[in-house]
Amino acid sequence: MDKAIHDTANLKAEISGGIHKSRVHDSAHKHVAGTAEYIDDMPEPAGLLHAGVGLSDRPHAKILAMDLSKVEAAPGVVCVLTGKDVPGVNDISSGGHHDEPLFADTVVEYHGQLIFAVIAETRHQARAAAKLAEITYEDLPFWTSVRDALAHNAPDVITPLKLQRGDAGAALQTAKNRITAEMEIGGQEHFYLEGQIALAIPGEDDEVAVWSSTQHPSEIQHIVGQVLDIPSNAVTVYQRRMGGGFGGKETQGNGFAAVAALAAKKLKRAVKFRPDRDEDMIMTGKRHDFVAFYDIGYDDDGVIEAVDATFAARCGFSADLSGPVTDRTLFHADSSYYYPNVHLVTRPLKTHTCSNTAYRGFGGPQGMLAGERFIEEIAYALGKDPLDIRKANFYGPNGSGRDVTPYHQTVEDNIILRVVEELEESADYRARRQAIIDFNRTSPIIKKGIALTPVKFGISFTMTAFNQAGALVHVYQDGSVQLNHGGTEMGQGLYIKVAQVVADVFQIDLERVKITATTTGKVPNTSATAASSGSDLNGMAAYNAAKEIKDRLIAFAASHYQVAADDIEFLPNRVRIGSKEIPFPDLVKAAYFGRIQLSAAGFYKTPKIHWDRAAGKGRPFYYFAYGAACTEVSIDTLTGEYIFERTDILHDVGRSLNPTIDIGQIEGGFIQGMGWLTTEELWWNDKGHLRTHAPSTYKIPLASDRPKIFNVRLTDFSENREPTIGRSKAVGEPPFMLAISALEAISMAVASVADYRVCPRLDAPATPERVLMAVERMRQV
């Protein structure tokens, strides 16, 4: 890798591009002006048809009869599609599990499962007609919660994972102190601003073009091809931007794109499929909720000696991504702590609910939350500050003997103690905690709490094959550059970061780099934009492509101008060749006339990583990202309501590619995590119906819910020890778990009611109702 990608020399101040600079999101002005084009904003093709959905109203039942005659006869209806209309395979499952039909045929397995689709002249006509179906069912037993699944001895949707090191059983038997308990950890709806949507336009022969709001265009390509029984080369998927994804558009867009493409090819007309928000929330998967059962042993200083824990998850009716999600839960059940003896297992349980899926953190937050609960339990049992227990259990430096995870990866880059201690000082944690304790002694109704919690999050797809990316870079004769790569833009700023990388290589203004829509027609076989790896993978792939072109330009200039290659230097918007300088476009034009290829396809694969799931051993992560948050909260013990007074965050992103974008991601991740742990509650009734399926019943955080004081800083000392792009670190998912500090601050406020003698054991989400019930429990202590 050349010096330019790691160096922030003064020369770079002369160009508007380059890495390690705060640059505005490339679509920010369009977001503000309302001109950013999403799929539903695109000019509609002539003859466009619309899809509506016929959904199951039973959680588990046989389909005995289905009369769709009234649907077909409804105004505007062109056709009705069922599983019998699928020319290929009636399956949209991710990972080849073959357990998720596009259209339910003989059995439905959750309320809201797709049975048929209506294609009509207008969206209103399609949705109205879908309600006219007459379906006869035979009800079957069902369960919708983790506890009900356990009671019914429900099967696992995928083989469970086990991680172990040492002898947890023996260590628990000999531990001086031991706690056995459990914790409920709620799920979460993605609630992106732009819902699921797909637009398909048929082409000649077997071709079809699909615009899909997806984080994984290559999977949409594969699924559409599978359903239509056509090769992938006949399916071209386009994605310019999403109005939010958060993991909900990694696999959940498959069915919407498949229905649109199936109808488009059958009818030879363009078809758009945009479900209503209620339909979207009922049909699609969410964050997995868990019940964690744990047994921990520790000494009188609070040092953990053994952990034995089982994580039982509500996975839904099919596997989807439940395997890797629940695996990552175990990978992060250690949080930032060393467990000398550990035994961890998953129970990925089948339930009669929508199939749960990827969500920011991908199971990691649930595991980390449990790990922090272990610390909280010990702290209250010993009457100590939880921060002191945290410090006593942190992973040690590399080579300390306390640096190996439960999955046998050595933590080589541990900076968590430094991050925590810097935040502890800058947030004035100790003095504020004592002031809060003093306040709580004299305040009978309002109670306060404060917590400082760490984050250690592994970066990479745990499926090793997904850790690869491609990019395509063109340099045109006028010196302008076009960039395309396999990553998708969902508002997180990936496009601008990768463009900065390319501008850095050529030392040209960022405005000279054109970012084009992600498409399977330019960069094939892409991985999903997920696992926080978008910048790591696509940035390196783009660097690889740009560097290849740059090397060709250097070789051409050396030959054409008769100078040594090392006497050629790319300066801001110009190139020094020996003793003279020429504008970058002039060199490019000369190279064109010299018949030098000015286009390159780049590629990158993450080194060092490997994982043996059966053995529970390997190096699934390339590196770790770290952070810490300190949150203060006030609760009303008469109502359970709470206000977040202040949050201080110090987060590690290595050498940031774009500090402004990264801080935005940290702020957004924290607030989204705060919503998961406080206000966002999923609830199914006794008929298996999801009742929290609209903004009226499902409460995401508002702007007014943010902490009154919100301080966010990036570490100024960290640099990724691995040769990532610009020595940066991922920032998409790790900040989400900073919000654990919010839950623990509420917990401390509740604990004050019983003079901090017992752990409140707050389940998540800690809604005001749960907080009030916890306060009442504390009154009985």
Side-chain angles (χ1 to χ4, degrees):
M1 188 174 292
D2 67 1
K3 184 172 181 287
I5 206 69
H6 292 303
D7 192 12
T8 51
N10 291 331
L11 289 172
K12 288 192 177 170
E14 299 179 39
I15 65 168
S16 65
I19 57 174
H20 309 314
K21 289 184 174 185
S22 288
R23 287 302 309 261
V24 174
H25 191 291
D26 55 286
S27 294
H29 62 292
K30 302 175 200 173
H31 293 153
V32 173
T35 57
E37 187 176 84
Y38 297 89
I39 293 172
D40 211 32
D41 300 316
M42 294 170 57
E44 295 186 346
L48 178 69
L49 298 172
H50 297 264
V53 290
L55 305 179
S56 164
D57 66 356
R58 308 295 174 89
H60 190 203
K62 292 180 181 178
I63 299 176
L64 301 181
M66 183 163 57
D67 183 355
L68 302 179
S69 57
K70 291 181 181 178
V71 179
E72 294 169 333
V77 172
V78 178
C79 80
V80 178
L81 300 173
T82 67
K84 297 181 177 61
D85 296 290
V86 176
V89 181
N90 183 33
D91 180 79
I92 55 170
S93 60
S94 179
H97 296 290
H98 303 293
D99 59 356
E100 188 173 346
L102 173 59
F103 297 107
D105 188 8
T106 59
V107 176
V108 294
E109 296 198 83
Y110 76 98
H111 173 256
Q113 186 170 4
L114 182 64
I115 300 176
F116 64 90
V118 184
I119 312 300
E121 297 290 346
T122 70
R123 182 170 174 269
H124 176 74
Q125 289 173 331
R127 295 188 66 226
K131 301 182 188 303
L132 303 177
E134 296 178 356
I135 303 175
T136 304
Y137 298 98
E138 178 186 324
D139 289 327
L140 298 171
F142 71 92
W143 48 89
T144 58
S145 71
V146 170
R147 295 191 187 278
D148 283 349
L150 291 170
H152 282 87
N153 196 27
D156 298 316
V157 296
I158 196 166
T159 304
L161 175 67
K162 178 174 68 175
L163 301 180
Q164 60 183 358
R165 194 189 62 251
D167 190 337
L172 284 168
Q173 291 296 326
T174 59
K176 185 170 183 180
N177 305 291
R178 186 171 177 179
I179 294 173
T180 303
E182 58 192 57
M183 180 183 191
E184 292 190 7
I185 302 170
Q188 188 177 21
E189 163 64 34
H190 300 86
F191 218 97
Y192 21 64
L193 290 179
E194 178 200 33
Q196 299 285 353
I197 186 170
L199 169 66
I201 299 179
E204 60 185 29
D205 301 324
D206 55 5
E207 295 173 358
V208 61
V210 179
W211 282 260
S212 173
S213 188
T214 177
Q215 295 170 236
H216 201 346
S218 288
E219 177 153 309
I220 296 291
Q221 179 189 36
H222 167 73
I223 293 295
V224 168
Q226 174 180 280
V227 168
L228 295 181
D229 194 24
I230 59 177
S232 290
N233 63 12
V235 183
T236 305
V237 180
Y238 298 91
Q239 172 50 254
R240 174 58 183 91
R241 62 173 62 84
M242 286 165 276
F246 314 118
K249 294 177 179 175
E250 185 171 346
T251 63
Q252 298 295 288
N254 292 353
F256 301 96
V259 167
L262 175 62
K265 290 304 287 181
K266 178 181 178 69
L267 300 171
K268 297 181 172 53
R269 291 172 66 178
V271 176
K272 185 191 291 186
F273 189 178
R274 176 173 65 84
D276 182 72
R277 174 70 70 173
D278 291 72
E279 294 166 342
D280 190 326
M281 292 181 72
I282 289 170
M283 293 173 68
T284 60
K286 292 104 179 52
R287 180 183 296 281
H288 292 67
D289 47 341
F290 284 78
V291 177
F293 303 90
Y294 54 89
D295 192 350
I296 50 179
Y298 56 97
D299 66 18
D300 287 339
D301 294 321
V303 176
I304 294 173
E305 296 174 342
V307 172
D308 188 354
T310 298
F311 290 83
R314 168 164 44 195
C315 294
F317 81 102
S318 67
D320 194 80
L321 295 172
S322 291
V325 166
T326 54
D327 286 2
R328 190 174 277 262
T329 298
L330 292 200
F331 291 141
H332 290 84
D334 61 340
S335 192
S336 298
Y337 313 114
Y338 175 69
Y339 302 156
N341 299 282
V342 58
H343 177 259
L344 305 171
V345 294
T346 60
R347 283 297 314 276
L349 296 164
K350 177 169 182 169
T351 54
H352 297 104
T353 54
C354 51
S355 194
N356 283 334
T357 191
Y359 200 127
R360 197 174 195 169
F362 205 77
Q366 296 94 311
M368 195 176 293
L369 183 61
E372 295 303 329
R373 172 55 56 85
F374 303 163
I375 296 296
E376 191 182 25
E377 289 269 22
I378 295 169
Y380 283 108
L382 295 178
K384 294 188 176 183
D385 184 339
L387 182 57
D388 292 331
I389 304 300
R390 290 189 165 94
K391 287 183 176 183
N393 285 284
F394 278 156
Y395 279 103
N398 192 203
S400 65
R402 293 177 55 86
D403 59 351
V404 181
T405 67
Y407 43 95
H408 299 265
Q409 175 170 344
T410 300
V411 181
E412 301 171 344
D413 58 359
N414 187 9
I415 59 172
I416 193 59
L417 181 61
R418 180 171 178 180
V419 171
V420 164
E421 289 188 336
E422 282 199 11
L423 182 64
E424 178 186 353
E425 180 178 354
S426 65
D428 197 20
Y429 168 80
R430 298 288 180 178
R432 288 169 60 201
R433 186 173 192 272
Q434 186 57 53
I436 285 170
I437 291 172
D438 294 341
F439 173 88
N440 288 341
R441 289 195 184 107
T442 60
S443 177
I445 296 173
I446 303 300
K447 301 291 186 181
K448 293 186 177 183
I450 190 171
L452 196 161
T453 59
V455 167
K456 173 186 128 290
F457 192 78
I459 305 300
S460 290
F461 287 96
T462 52
M463 167 62 78
T464 305
F466 291 166
N467 294 283
Q468 60 175 297
L472 186 62
V473 174
H474 301 317
V475 179
Y476 294 98
Q477 290 185 56
D478 64 354
S480 65
V481 177
Q482 187 182 96
L483 165 66
N484 193 274
H485 56 79
T488 58
E489 177 63 56
M490 60 195 92
Q492 84 278 36
L494 173 62
Y495 275 15
I496 192 69
K497 283 185 174 182
V498 180
Q500 285 177 265
V501 169
V502 172
D504 198 88
V505 172
F506 294 120
Q507 283 292 285
I508 59 175
D509 289 335
L510 189 59
E511 292 73 18
R512 300 291 287 168
V513 181
K514 184 72 172 179
I515 309 166
T516 58
T518 304
T519 171
T520 57
K522 284 192 174 182
V523 177
N525 306 318
T526 57
S527 296
T529 305
S532 304
S533 61
S535 296
D536 284 4
L537 295 175
N538 295 287
M540 288 295 273
Y543 169 81
N544 176 255
K547 182 64 165 54
E548 187 175 327
I549 298 171
K550 181 179 180 180
D551 289 345
R552 292 182 198 146
L553 289 172
I554 291 173
F556 164 76
S559 173
H560 186 73
Y561 295 100
Q562 296 297 298
V563 299
D566 58 7
D567 205 17
I568 297 170
E569 183 181 7
F570 280 63
L571 302 172
N573 294 307
R574 63 196 191 280
V575 183
R576 182 181 64 79
I577 304 172
S579 60
K580 71 174 186 176
E581 295 181 4
I582 64 172
F584 177 72
D586 290 1
L587 174 61
V588 170
K589 185 172 283 287
Y592 165 75
F593 282 103
R595 295 185 295 178
I596 301 302
Q597 185 181 7
L598 297 173
S599 174
F603 182 76
Y604 175 74
K605 62 179 181 179
T606 309
K608 296 186 178 182
I609 54 176
H610 57 92
W611 172 241
D612 184 339
R613 188 175 189 271
K617 296 181 179 181
R619 178 178 175 159
F621 304 122
Y622 190 30
Y623 62 88
F624 296 95
Y626 299 88
C630 178
T631 295
E632 179 181 336
V633 66
S634 298
I635 72 167
D636 185 331
T637 57
L638 298 181
T639 65
E641 295 173 288
Y642 39 79
I643 295 173
F644 293 102
E645 305 286 359
R646 174 176 168 181
T647 292
D648 296 82
I649 291 172
L650 180 62
H651 199 73
D652 160 40
V653 296
R655 295 185 66 192
S656 174
L657 293 176
N658 187 322
T660 295
I661 294 291
D662 286 349
I663 286 174
Q665 282 290 287
I666 294 165
E667 292 172 342
F670 176 86
I671 296 298
Q672 191 175 47
M674 192 178 77
W676 167 54
L677 293 172
T678 59
T679 64
E680 299 183 45
E681 184 175 30
L682 297 167
W683 188 73
W684 280 262
N685 66 12
D686 58 4
K687 296 181 180 179
H689 295 193
L690 177 68
R691 303 308 299 156
T692 49
H693 56 77
S696 57
T697 52
Y698 186 82
K699 301 299 184 182
I700 65 172
L702 304 175
S704 57
D705 293 320
R706 67 185 290 278
K708 292 179 183 177
I709 301 171
F710 198 12
N711 302 316
V712 179
R713 291 190 298 119
L714 304 179
T715 56
D716 58 8
F717 63 85
S718 176
E719 178 176 289
N720 200 333
R721 61 181 288 156
E722 301 295 345
T724 54
I725 193 72
R727 298 286 179 174
S728 63
K729 285 188 178 183
V731 72
E733 292 169 301
F736 184 92
M737 286 142 285
L738 296 167
I740 294 173
S741 63
L743 180 67
E744 293 221 1
I746 294 173
S747 182
M748 177 187 171
V750 172
S752 70
V753 175
D755 198 27
Y756 316 101
R757 294 192 304 274
V758 296
C759 180
R761 292 182 178 168
L762 268 176
D763 289 331
T767 59
E769 295 89 344
R770 280 205 177 99
V771 172
L772 183 59
M773 288 188 287
V775 167
E776 292 305 312
R777 288 199 306 272
M778 293 298 101
R779 295 191 197 280
Q780 307 305 315
V781 172

